[in-house]
Amino acid sequence: MYFGILITFLIFCFTHRTFFKEKVLLVTIPFVLYYLIGLNAVEQNQTSYEEGSQNVYGVIQTIPTIDGDSMSMRLKSNTGEMIQVQSFIYHQEDQLKMKTLAPGDACMITGDLSKPLPPTNFSQFNYKQYLLNHNIIWILRPEQGGIACIQGRAELLNLFQRFRQKHMMRIVDEVDPSFSGIMNALVFGDRNNLDGDLLKAYQHLGIIHLLAVSGLHVGMLVSILFYVLIRFGLARERAMEIMIVILPVYIIFAGAAPSVIRASIMAMVVLLSMRFRKKLSPIAGISLVYLGYLAINPLTLFHLGFQLSFLISFGLIISAPTIIQKYQHPISQLIVITFLAQLLSFPLILYHTFEFSLLSLPLNLVYIPVITTVVLPLTLLAFLLSFFLPAGINLPLLVLELVYSTFHPLLLEVSDWSLATIVFGRPSVIFVAAFYGVILIGCIKWENGTRNWWVAPVTIFGLLCFWQLSSPYFNPEAKVTVIDVGQGDSILIELPFRRAVYLIDAGGTVSFTNEDWRNKRKPFDVGADIVIPTLTERGIKKLDKLVLTHGHLDHIGGAMALVDAIKVKEVLYGKGPVEGEFERDLLLRFIEKGTQIHFVEDGMSWSKGRPIFQSFPQKDKNMI
């Protein structure tokens, strides 16, 4: 595919001689060079280990993530390989020991070494490919008591990581839970302590990027630090030099996500050009950062965060002259910049999440200024004051805790609105390319300023969205999908032209313990994590019938997640007494949402989605 693109470009250059001399070498040499760099990175995924029981020696590279009775971290083995460690925690005492582990600790781990499995559902996250993109081939699952670590001589990078870990844990212990997860996200770029439902709400509403350390945070930090250093009497040159030294350290403290690296290195490039009085255009600066980043870590190209960070940055930098020229008022500029960022991210977000939030643009218009002018400065100030003041008298922290304890319940309620999102389904790669083609043409027409420039791009864009939404209704083929839900069953049936959609069972997660220390921030739920993504990947917004074969939890447990996420017209349930508490709660929740409940028995049937048996009245709850 890559060489096909190159050959197409070369043919274009030969047929357009004016482009040949200027462009062919400029594009061809880097293209071939980076292709070879990427090929070399893929081929480096070799291993000296074999599958099975192993004693693995290595050094912890990441802050261990502990969530209930599970722990995960990355270990660099004595052979130089990076290994993903995933451990089940058997006792609460073991959990406390796990919390003492830190980057730089030397460990011997006895356990089972295995390769991650490929996805078993169409919409499932490809964890195997994700690990390969991080040069990880193996998952190590320690046996009980199989982790033995000592605090080794930490390198400088590990010392920074330990500082980060220590203060993230301090925030969790000292700050109100309504804000501790947000504070860790804004200061350290870590979202692991966020409540699962809250994190889902931010993602669902299209504002999750506001919790990622990015150009907004780096710009704020550089501005504050530069002002403070100047006020302390330092010369501008010395202040710039200090910030250039501090920014690489900040990259580590903020989690070293692609957005952090991109924004911090861009800031360093700008500071260097200012310090040595060398003029460097923004597009040249970000291009250098992009090429340098990929030269060091080429597989980052496949990370969604990397793609969105650089794509939006490129688009805004290229469009900046037009925005400044045509829109003078700050509010107008904010609206245009936010809209452009949303537009550039739309096809990629659609490809990965299958849906788009209608509230994303208005929420970003409100939330970005609030984050910039209020939340982020107060959060940084609260963190700095926490070194000297207890949480009870840390005024910025108290204000933020009060604001977020009020704001988050509202956010959770809004995220449940059924009209808040449009489910498109996963577009094909060709459709994604077509979306970006229309966006590119629209931006060119917008910059040229021709009359009614927006009519053609908006029309074509609308037609693409309409086709993506309606194409299943033109498909003459029926589809039957057996969804892998582990224990239990779930079968999705789509009739031709999508005349009806049926789901038989929804799987379920069976839990055998209720110890508080085992509870996870975001417990795995078959319905929410497997069944609903399968439906949204197909663009399914409603079920004509949900057939629940019997009341065992591994067959109906996942159906609870469907209540608020998918419109279900009818539920077919076996006729007889409803005895289980979960069964009653589930059916009553469906009734509250307007779903018709039909108690069925042997011999009943329907045709073309129309029932031919007698159903119980919707409001008749006697049997439930």
Side-chain angles (χ1 to χ4, degrees):
M1 183 181 74
Y2 297 102
F3 280 108
I5 296 172
L6 180 59
I7 291 169
T8 302
F9 173 77
L10 292 176
I11 292 173
F12 177 81
C13 288
F14 277 110
T15 55
H16 297 74
R17 293 290 180 171
T18 55
F19 287 89
F20 180 75
K21 291 181 179 179
E22 298 178 4
K23 308 295 183 183
V24 68
L25 291 178
L26 183 63
V27 173
T28 304
I29 293 176
F31 192 98
V32 173
L33 176 63
Y34 276 84
Y35 176 78
L36 295 175
I37 290 173
L39 195 63
N40 179 65
V42 172
E43 290 178 350
Q44 283 183 350
N45 279 340
Q46 305 296 327
T47 181
S48 58
Y49 289 98
E50 295 181 357
E51 195 164 11
S53 182
Q54 300 277 346
N55 289 326
V56 178
Y57 299 85
V59 177
I60 298 175
Q61 298 297 301
T62 60
I63 298 172
T65 299
I66 299 171
D67 189 11
D69 56 8
S70 65
M71 185 276 291
S72 64
M73 63 182 181
R74 289 180 185 171
L75 188 82
K76 188 173 184 179
S77 71
N78 56 355
T79 64
E81 294 183 47
M82 197 71 74
I83 296 174
Q84 183 72 28
V85 179
Q86 295 180 351
S87 177
F88 179 79
I89 303 175
Y90 294 88
H91 304 288
Q92 190 172 7
E93 295 77 13
D94 295 332
Q95 186 193 61
L96 298 176
K97 291 179 182 177
M98 297 286 188
K99 290 182 178 181
T100 64
L101 299 178
D105 288 356
C107 300
M108 186 196 77
I109 302 180
T110 303
D112 184 66
L113 207 60
S114 61
K115 292 184 178 181
L117 297 173
T120 55
N121 291 301
F122 294 112
S123 59
Q124 191 172 337
F125 176 65
N126 194 333
Y127 188 57
K128 180 179 182 179
Q129 189 60 51
Y130 170 81
L131 291 180
L132 286 174
N133 289 341
H134 287 82
N135 297 308
I136 299 174
I137 298 175
W138 297 104
I139 293 177
L140 178 60
R141 293 180 172 85
E143 62 185 34
Q144 186 173 357
I147 301 178
C149 299
I150 59 172
Q151 185 172 334
R153 181 181 178 183
E155 300 175 355
L156 183 61
L157 177 61
N158 296 137
L159 291 175
F160 288 146
Q161 287 276 54
R162 287 181 179 181
F163 176 88
R164 183 170 179 260
Q165 178 184 18
K166 174 183 176 181
H167 290 286
M168 284 196 306
M169 293 175 65
R170 182 170 66 86
I171 288 173
V172 171
D173 293 336
E174 297 178 2
V175 177
D176 188 278
S178 65
F179 185 64
S180 60
I182 300 291
M183 191 170 185
N184 269 332
L186 293 177
V187 176
F188 294 107
D190 183 273
R191 298 200 290 257
N192 287 320
N193 291 304
L194 272 172
D195 175 75
D197 291 334
L198 185 62
L199 181 62
K200 183 180 177 182
Y202 272 89
Q203 293 169 333
H204 194 58
L205 294 172
I207 56 175
I208 187 64
H209 63 93
L210 295 173
L211 300 182
V213 179
S214 60
L216 177 70
H217 302 69
V218 174
M220 178 67 68
L221 179 67
V222 168
S223 300
I224 293 174
L225 185 58
F226 186 78
Y227 175 79
V228 170
L229 292 174
I230 293 297
R231 296 295 295 176
F232 271 93
L234 286 178
R236 294 172 62 89
E237 290 78 9
R238 301 292 86 77
M240 292 177 190
E241 292 166 359
I242 290 174
M243 287 189 292
I244 291 169
V245 173
I246 288 177
L247 281 170
V249 178
Y250 178 71
I251 290 175
I252 301 170
F253 286 156
S259 59
V260 183
I261 297 173
R262 187 264 309 163
S264 299
I265 297 180
M266 272 295 295
M268 292 169 63
V269 169
V270 172
L271 289 169
L272 282 169
S273 64
M274 292 171 60
R275 171 63 183 84
F276 295 103
R277 295 178 173 84
K278 300 292 184 181
K279 190 174 181 180
L280 182 68
S281 69
I283 194 65
I286 196 172
S287 298
L288 287 173
V289 174
Y290 176 81
L291 293 173
Y293 198 152
L294 287 183
I296 296 171
N297 191 0
L299 294 179
T300 311
L301 181 64
F302 301 102
H303 297 181
L304 178 60
F306 176 88
Q307 296 167 4
L308 288 174
S309 179
F310 277 96
L311 176 65
I312 294 173
S313 298
F314 271 116
L316 293 179
I317 288 173
I318 293 172
S319 304
T322 303
I323 294 173
I324 295 171
Q325 179 183 356
K326 293 189 174 185
Y327 307 94
Q328 303 294 327
H329 197 280
I331 294 180
S332 300
Q333 291 182 350
L334 174 64
I335 293 173
V336 173
I337 290 171
T338 305
F339 177 76
L340 186 58
Q342 294 278 298
L343 192 63
L344 290 170
S345 64
F346 174 78
L348 273 179
I349 294 295
L350 203 63
Y351 184 79
H352 288 278
T353 66
F354 328 130
E355 60 186 13
F356 178 74
S357 172
L358 294 174
L359 298 176
S360 179
L361 181 60
L363 283 175
N364 276 281
L365 287 173
V366 173
Y367 210 179
I368 286 176
V370 172
I371 287 283
T372 306
T373 60
V374 180
V375 175
L376 188 55
L378 283 179
T379 302
L380 294 174
L381 181 59
F383 176 70
L384 293 175
L385 290 176
S386 69
F387 287 93
F388 312 103
L389 299 176
I393 58 173
N394 189 332
L395 185 58
L397 180 60
L398 294 175
V399 171
L400 289 168
E401 288 177 346
L402 177 62
V403 169
Y404 273 88
S405 63
T406 305
F407 172 72
H408 279 161
L410 178 62
L411 193 68
L412 289 169
E413 182 177 344
V414 170
S415 69
D416 288 335
W417 292 356
S418 58
L419 298 177
T421 58
I422 300 178
V423 178
F424 283 87
R426 188 197 294 275
S428 66
V429 175
I430 295 176
F431 253 75
V432 172
F435 273 124
Y436 277 116
V438 175
I439 292 171
L440 179 60
I441 293 171
C443 287
I444 292 173
K445 285 180 171 290
W446 169 54
E447 291 182 357
N448 291 336
T450 56
R451 187 179 179 182
N452 296 327
W453 61 267
W454 54 271
V455 174
V458 169
T459 302
I460 298 172
F461 193 88
L463 288 174
L464 287 173
C465 290
F466 173 77
W467 177 253
Q468 177 62 31
L469 287 167
S470 61
S471 57
Y473 298 92
F474 295 97
N475 189 347
E477 297 180 348
K479 293 182 181 179
V480 178
T481 305
V482 179
I483 305 173
D484 183 3
V485 291
Q487 181 179 344
D489 294 312
S490 186
I491 301 173
L492 177 65
I493 301 173
E494 302 170 68
L495 297 188
F497 304 105
R498 196 162 280 181
R499 290 193 180 97
V501 180
Y502 309 132
L503 182 67
I504 303 174
D505 285 338
T509 306
V510 181
S511 177
F512 296 99
T513 181
N514 57 358
E515 296 177 90
D516 289 340
W517 70 271
R518 293 186 182 274
N519 293 333
K520 293 179 172 58
R521 288 180 291 273
K522 187 182 182 304
F524 175 77
D525 182 88
V526 168
D529 297 321
I530 294 181
V531 178
I532 290 177
T534 299
L535 298 177
T536 54
E537 191 260 349
R538 302 290 182 85
I540 296 172
K541 300 172 281 293
K542 68 179 180 67
L543 294 174
D544 293 274
K545 291 187 187 336
L546 172 61
V547 181
L548 300 177
T549 57
H550 59 286
H552 289 172
L553 196 62
D554 59 342
H555 285 257
I556 69 169
M560 187 65 81
L562 299 176
V563 175
D564 295 318
I566 301 289
K567 179 176 176 56
V568 180
K569 294 176 66 176
E570 299 176 75
V571 170
L572 307 187
Y573 205 79
K575 189 174 183 179
V578 180
E579 298 176 346
E581 182 179 352
F582 181 85
E583 297 174 65
R584 288 195 299 272
D585 290 343
L586 175 64
L587 296 178
L588 288 173
R589 287 285 305 278
F590 274 121
I591 288 175
E592 291 171 1
K593 290 290 183 178
T595 301
Q596 293 183 343
I597 309 295
H598 298 288
F599 291 94
V600 298
E601 57 186 347
D602 186 32
M604 290 182 172
S605 62
W606 74 89
S607 175
K608 294 183 180 180
R610 297 180 180 179
I612 59 172
F613 50 82
Q614 182 66 36
S615 64
F616 286 89
Q618 181 180 340
K619 297 182 180 179
D620 186 1
K621 303 181 182 179
N622 294 331
M623 292 196 65
I624 304 177

